[in-house]
Amino acid sequence: MRLVHDPDGAARPLATEVEYAESMLEQGRGLMFRSSIPDDYALVFPFDHASRQFIHMLFVRFPLDVLWLVDEEVQAVETLHPWRSVGYANADTVIELPGGAASAVSEGDTVRLESGMRQA
């Protein structure tokens, strides 16, 4: 599984190590208490329908780039800072990436999950 940014038909991977936070406990904990994450990592929060989704950085020790998506279209992109940031936007999927990983992603871009083999 990999996370791909496809702004104009020229897809490029954002992450090749993708983890899902599906249960209420997994979503509540997110990336709290971890000392770091790999550069090619993404944590995906899937929701049943689009609604306002909040992300906090309490007990998160490193900056994150957060994407809020509706039907794979980026609604908002924000870099959140350790311990003190809060972000929210309308989304059916929220994705957390290492800080700086989504620097080329803009509102209106397409970001999607692909299954299959990794490309070199």
Side-chain angles (χ1 to χ4, degrees):
M1 177 86 43
R2 68 185 193 151
L3 183 69
V4 176
H5 176 218
D6 192 0
D8 54 10
R12 73 171 187 89
L14 288 174
T16 56
E17 186 177 331
V18 178
E19 184 177 349
Y20 280 86
E22 296 180 286
S23 73
M24 187 180 294
L25 179 61
E26 290 169 335
Q27 290 180 354
R29 193 174 97 218
L31 294 172
M32 293 190 308
F33 309 113
R34 296 191 192 188
S35 58
S36 66
I37 55 175
D39 291 340
D40 63 343
Y41 178 87
L43 181 59
V44 177
F45 297 78
F47 299 99
D48 292 333
H49 61 278
S51 62
R52 186 166 289 212
Q53 302 298 332
F54 290 85
I55 298 294
H56 69 82
M57 295 294 287
L58 188 62
F59 298 109
V60 178
R61 301 176 186 178
F62 42 87
L64 296 175
D65 284 355
V66 181
L67 309 176
W68 287 265
L69 311 177
V70 173
D71 296 328
E72 298 182 344
E73 182 180 326
V74 177
Q75 304 299 302
V77 181
E78 191 170 346
T79 299
L80 300 181
H81 303 283
W83 291 93
R84 65 181 193 265
S85 292
V86 174
Y88 59 90
N90 195 50
D92 62 16
T93 305
V94 175
I95 301 171
E96 296 180 343
L97 299 156
S103 61
V105 178
S106 299
E107 289 181 23
D109 287 356
T110 299
V111 173
R112 67 179 183 278
L113 289 160
E114 292 183 342
S115 58
M117 296 180 61
R118 293 183 193 177
Q119 295 180 2

